[in-house]
Amino acid sequence: GAVVSQHPSWVICKSGTSVKIECRSLDFQATTMFWYRQFPKQSLMLMATSNEGSKATYEQGVEKDKFLINHASLTLSTLTVTSAHPEDSSFYICSATPIGPGSRADTQYFGPGTRLTVL
Amino acid sequence: RKEVEQDPGPFNVPEGATVAFNCTYSNSASQSFFWYRQDCRKEPKLLMSVYSSGNEDGRFTAQLNRASQYISLLIRDSKLSDSATYLCVVSLNNDMRFGAGTRLTVKP
């Protein structure tokens, strides 16, 4: 149980285009999902916290107009990188915290990540 | 100062060796502590939670010292399959902060 999927797993795009990444919890519901970015040989950096039915909370230094987050249901959150540039190339990982009986509020299940390369 | 600091390594050890990783965190209000394992180009996977009393899971032992804001992970009888990057994670109100990770390579 507790499987999180991401789509696509990798994407290559031209500079200036927008890329949408989906994060789905397959066998549980999550009111909160998290989006992280990881550059090579660096730690995961939290970009934003995605809340179902409300606006996402962005970390300091993350442009909300560039990284659009939508969390329209309890099993799906999307991250859209708008007008992507080469410096946005990174490994984007989402995670989700299950809700319901027996769930731990501090447990996050990670998706397999999406590798974005902007040419 | 980084919120979570780890020695990046790399640690190169022979099979069967015992290896220990350390981690320090800056926020004394942190509530939950974890060790995650991340293989190259993969997502992090939970290895174990860390409790104040210390906890063990097979060959893995984790310790937490709240007074010193210090977490450790001990791997005994290391296997080739233990080769990975080990991430120290500290959480407050479900806000997780990751260390940069310690790279371990176990060699035959």
Side-chain angles (χ1 to χ4, degrees), chain A:
Chain A
V3 176
V4 177
S5 71
Q6 275 184 246
H7 177 80
S9 55
W10 60 270
V11 58
I12 301 173
C13 69
K14 292 182 179 180
S15 184
T17 59
S18 294
V19 176
K20 179 187 280 189
I21 303 170
E22 294 186 348
C23 176
R24 291 182 186 273
S25 55
L26 298 185
D27 51 0
F28 64 95
Q29 293 182 326
T31 53
T32 304
M33 292 184 174
F34 302 87
W35 287 97
Y36 296 86
R37 180 167 54 181
Q38 186 177 33
F39 293 107
K41 297 188 179 181
Q42 295 187 26
S43 63
L44 273 73
M45 297 299 296
L46 179 65
M47 298 176 65
T49 303
S50 169
N51 303 297
E52 187 268 336
S54 64
K55 291 183 179 180
T57 304
Y58 290 81
E59 294 298 299
Q60 191 173 11
V62 178
E63 299 175 58
K64 61 179 172 55
D65 294 329
K66 180 170 179 63
F67 298 98
L68 302 178
I69 291 174
N70 184 281
H71 192 157
S73 78
L74 290 173
T75 59
L76 173 65
S77 175
T78 61
L79 168 68
T80 301
V81 182
T82 62
S83 186
H85 291 283
E87 58 265 30
D88 297 323
S89 299
S90 187
F91 191 45
Y92 291 85
I93 306 175
C94 73
S95 70
T97 298
I99 58 173
S103 298
R104 278 183 59 173
D106 61 356
T107 299
Q108 292 186 25
Y109 295 95
F110 286 85
T114 296
R115 192 160 299 280
L116 171 64
T117 300
V118 184
L119 302 177

Side-chain angles (χ1 to χ4, degrees), chain A residues 32 34 36 38 41-46 59 91 93 97 104-113 115, chain B residues 31-34 36 38 40-46 49 51 87 91 93-101:
Chain A
T32 304
F34 302 87
Y36 296 86
Q38 186 177 33
K41 297 188 179 181
Q42 295 187 26
S43 63
L44 273 73
M45 297 299 296
L46 179 65
E59 294 298 299
F91 191 45
I93 306 175
T97 298
R104 278 183 59 173
D106 61 356
T107 299
Q108 292 186 25
Y109 295 95
F110 286 85
R115 192 160 299 280
Chain B
Q31 299 166 319
S32 303
F33 309 88
F34 309 90
Y36 276 74
Q38 187 176 25
C40 189
R41 294 177 175 264
K42 300 283 187 181
E43 77 277 21
K45 294 190 176 178
L46 179 64
S49 300
Y51 304 111
L87 306 174
S91 176
N93 296 328
N94 210 19
D95 182 352
M96 299 178 86
R97 301 290 163 170
F98 287 77

Side-chain angles (χ1 to χ4, degrees), chain B residues 14-88:
Chain B
E15 269 186 292
T18 296
V19 61
F21 304 140
N22 302 320
C23 168
T24 57
Y25 60 95
S26 61
N27 189 343
S28 60
S30 299
Q31 299 166 319
S32 303
F33 309 88
F34 309 90
W35 282 102
Y36 276 74
R37 170 196 169 127
Q38 187 176 25
D39 293 290
C40 189
R41 294 177 175 264
K42 300 283 187 181
E43 77 277 21
K45 294 190 176 178
L46 179 64
L47 181 64
M48 58 198 304
S49 300
V50 188
Y51 304 111
S52 297
S53 54
N55 49 300
E56 187 174 308
D57 182 1
R59 299 181 291 109
F60 299 85
T61 301
Q63 296 275 356
L64 166 65
N65 184 321
R66 284 186 183 270
S68 301
Q69 295 178 208
Y70 169 94
I71 305 161
S72 67
L73 175 68
L74 182 76
I75 305 176
R76 290 183 298 279
D77 188 23
S78 50
K79 312 290 184 190
L80 296 177
S81 57
D82 293 334
S83 297
T85 296
Y86 290 82
L87 306 174
C88 175

